[in-house]
Amino acid sequence: MTRRLRLAVLGSTGSIGVNTLDVAARHPERFEVVALTAATQVDAMLAQCERFRPHVAVMASPAHAAELAEKIKQKGLPTQVEKAPAAIEKIASWGQVDVVMAAIVGAAGLAPCIAAARAGKRLLLANKEALVVGGEVFLRAVREGGATLLPIDSEHSAIFQSLPDDPATWASRIDKIILTASGGPFRTRAPASLREVTPEQACAHPNWVMGRKISVDSATMMNKALEVIEARYLFGVAPGQLEVVIHPQSVIHSMVQYRDTSVVAQLGTPDMRVPIAYGLAWPERIASGAAALDFRALKDLSFEPIDADGHRARYPGLALAWEALRAAPGSCAVLNAANEVAVAAFLERRIRFDQIHHVNLATLGGVQPGAPDDVPALLELDARARAAARDAVHALAR
């Protein structure tokens, strides 16, 4: 009998983490959950520890770790509790782990992803910022560590599934990669009215159930800008070979157009358990728990160019992806840091929805990246960009 794969879920109480555990629980003969990490949701983590009985659970702060440890003790569970951040990198590279689901939101996920890559893990990448911020530094760690890197974002998983098995053939066969975007909750809203958008409205995605930060990114389409950057690094294509099209139904998750003009696409219901199951079992296929696509119920599949019907005014941040990719090395990390600060400020009601783009644009234009070539340099650049973004937020909020 084949040994079960030992799974660590970084960010286990978020939507990706919860869906990962749901898929793993459907296949107890295949997967053993050995480590979980979370930020602040102690009770949610406790429930996961009761169900999966991992060897280790990590919380982001000493206070939350202490609270979890006391509750674990009261329940008589065998799980050892540790506190971040060092413990997360330790788990990502731990010899008792075969598969790492990297679902920590934002640049905070970079160091654990690099640790997992250097340790040669099967790395399921739901943290797009590891590539957006890390770029070639992260890819070098993957190559040198011999890691298996599998994308979990629905778009990048769709692209990966639409490509030939041999990456050596991609460059000679691909004409372009087309990422689909739902358009978020404001696809038909008058651009001038976006200044009045509330955090609650921005977080109400029409198709997907996601966390607050990524929901806001979907509403501004900065999530698609980050996905364009991620696709450039994942698949080795030039910025000019990347295209975005709005597809409101979220049935086609992305497409690859080949040199002969044929297009291969991956379709499915908007359920993150599908790409998660694909990554967990690759190259096999296992049941995900998602509903199957019913073609009899599909009334239409529609597409809108990004420059139609005022979309450029609705989503000004999308163009920053290509601007950052063509700018000095490290510019993508600057853009990501600015966006994290700007979205947090919007969710805290310190700036308007339409001012997120102003913060991103000002920071991208005002920070010299300096071509970072290792993790300390990337983290230093991230800190500088965040400081500049906070200054931009402060200027707008006055």
Side-chain angles (χ1 to χ4, degrees), residues 119-365:
K121 305 300 183 184
R122 172 182 290 200
L123 178 54
L124 310 187
L125 190 66
N127 172 278
K128 63 175 61 68
E129 291 84 1
L131 270 170
V132 173
V133 176
E136 292 297 337
V137 174
F138 175 62
L139 290 179
R140 185 169 67 240
V142 171
R143 290 192 299 269
E144 292 175 354
T148 300
L149 181 62
L150 297 170
I152 298 301
D153 275 351
S154 60
E155 295 82 1
H156 300 93
S157 177
I159 295 163
F160 185 71
Q161 294 180 57
S162 301
L163 286 168
D165 290 339
D166 184 4
T169 68
W170 293 353
S172 63
R173 296 187 185 188
I174 296 173
D175 180 33
K176 63 181 176 179
I177 287 173
I178 305 165
L179 291 95
T180 57
S182 70
F186 309 132
R187 182 176 61 85
T188 60
R189 183 161 172 160
S193 73
L194 294 178
R195 63 181 288 126
E196 309 301 332
V197 164
T198 67
E200 292 75 21
Q201 291 170 328
C203 290
H205 196 281
N207 299 337
W208 298 91
V209 177
M210 304 181 293
R212 283 164 62 81
K213 194 268 183 184
I214 193 172
S215 294
V216 174
D217 281 348
S218 180
T220 63
M221 215 177 280
M222 275 304 299
N223 72 317
K224 208 56 52 177
L226 299 178
E227 287 168 13
V228 166
I229 295 168
E230 186 181 6
R232 181 262 175 271
Y233 286 111
L234 273 172
F235 306 114
V237 295
Q241 290 178 281
L242 293 162
E243 183 179 311
V244 173
V245 64
I246 292 179
H247 170 50
Q249 296 81 18
S250 296
V251 171
I252 296 177
H253 298 305
S254 277
M255 301 170 272
V256 177
Q257 180 172 306
Y258 288 89
R259 295 288 174 85
D260 61 1
T261 72
S262 62
V263 177
V264 177
Q266 187 266 338
L267 288 72
T269 52
D271 190 320
M272 283 306 300
R273 290 177 296 179
V274 176
I276 288 168
Y278 182 75
L280 283 171
W282 180 86
E284 299 179 52
R285 299 271 186 170
I286 59 173
S288 66
L293 194 62
D294 184 357
F295 284 92
R296 297 168 300 178
L298 288 178
K299 293 182 173 60
D300 57 59
L301 297 177
S302 61
F303 304 90
E304 301 166 11
I306 200 64
D307 56 357
D309 191 31
H311 285 333
R312 288 197 182 277
R314 289 187 187 92
Y315 313 116
L318 180 59
L320 296 180
W322 288 271
E323 182 177 327
L325 282 170
R326 290 174 172 137
S331 296
C332 296
V334 172
L335 177 59
N336 178 76
N339 187 61
E340 288 190 22
V341 170
V343 170
F346 165 68
L347 288 171
E348 294 165 3
R349 304 178 194 273
R350 292 188 288 125
I351 61 172
R352 299 193 312 265
F353 178 81
D354 61 317
Q355 291 177 324
I356 294 173
H357 176 63
H358 294 291
V359 173
N360 293 343
L361 190 63
T363 308
L364 189 60

Side-chain angles (χ1 to χ4, degrees), residues 28-46:
E29 77 287 355
R30 284 178 171 267
F31 305 108
E32 177 189 5
V33 177
V34 298
L36 301 173
T37 83
T40 60
Q41 296 188 55
V42 172
D43 289 338
M45 174 63 89
L46 179 63

